[in-house]
Amino acid sequence: MALRQIRTEGDPVLAKKCRPVDKMTLRLKILVEDMFETMYDAYGVGLAAPQVGVLRRIAVIDVDGEHPYCFVNPEIIEMSGEQTGDEGCLSVPGKTGTVTRPERVKVRAYDINMKPFELEAEGLLARACCHEFDHLDGVLYVSKVEGPLRDVQPYEEIEEEEETEE
Ligand code: NI
């Protein structure tokens, strides 16, 4: 496994629509492993393939550190309710903003072995699905933010502080 470079806002790859996966390959399986590693390393709860420069419809999510999901060609087939809360994105480091999303979504996708599955998600997991799947259409959360983007401490700085403290 390897860490991949996370593309940041302004990189044209983040504004493009991704192509569906028609066949799982070893190369794409390695991509998924690398995406998980890169997401955990950056303290993220989700990462989409275009964020590491690959224009394929693949996203990984793990909102509690215990339930890793890989979504291939995901689609939101039902949504209900509403939640308004703060979001951040590894491609927009040091920022957060308020976004309204559905409270519940039903997702249809394929897993890493191209086996179809459905997932009913609510709360943070539903929010993460909406955010990550938007990336696959070239949409960043900053285009949906209500009010201003606010500054937060980027994870690199937090890490540096932790290293200094040791
Ligand atoms: Ni993001």
Side-chain angles (χ1 to χ4, degrees), residues 63 80 83 101-105 121-130:
V63 295
S80 63
Q83 55 173 321
R101 302 281 192 182
E103 173 61 25
R104 282 171 297 277
V105 296
E122 59 177 50
L124 182 57
L125 183 57
R127 175 178 293 281
C129 288
C130 296

Side-chain angles (χ1 to χ4, degrees), residues 120-140:
E120 290 186 33
E122 59 177 50
L124 182 57
L125 183 57
R127 175 178 293 281
C129 288
C130 296
H131 176 117
E132 298 311 327
F133 304 166
D134 271 355
H135 274 296
L136 306 180
D137 291 320
V139 175
L140 294 183

Side-chain angles (χ1 to χ4, degrees), residues 74-134:
E75 276 180 283
I76 291 175
I77 53 172
E78 282 175 37
M79 56 176 88
S80 63
E82 206 176 83
Q83 55 173 321
T84 299
D86 285 346
E87 257 172 59
C89 178
L90 295 176
S91 293
V92 190
K95 299 284 176 189
T96 185
T98 306
V99 186
T100 297
R101 302 281 192 182
E103 173 61 25
R104 282 171 297 277
V105 296
K106 189 169 177 183
V107 176
R108 185 176 289 160
Y110 294 86
D111 69 11
I112 186 80
N113 298 309
M114 294 305 274
K115 190 170 162 251
F117 70 99
E118 286 185 359
L119 174 73
E120 290 186 33
E122 59 177 50
L124 182 57
L125 183 57
R127 175 178 293 281
C129 288
C130 296
H131 176 117
E132 298 311 327
F133 304 166
D134 271 355

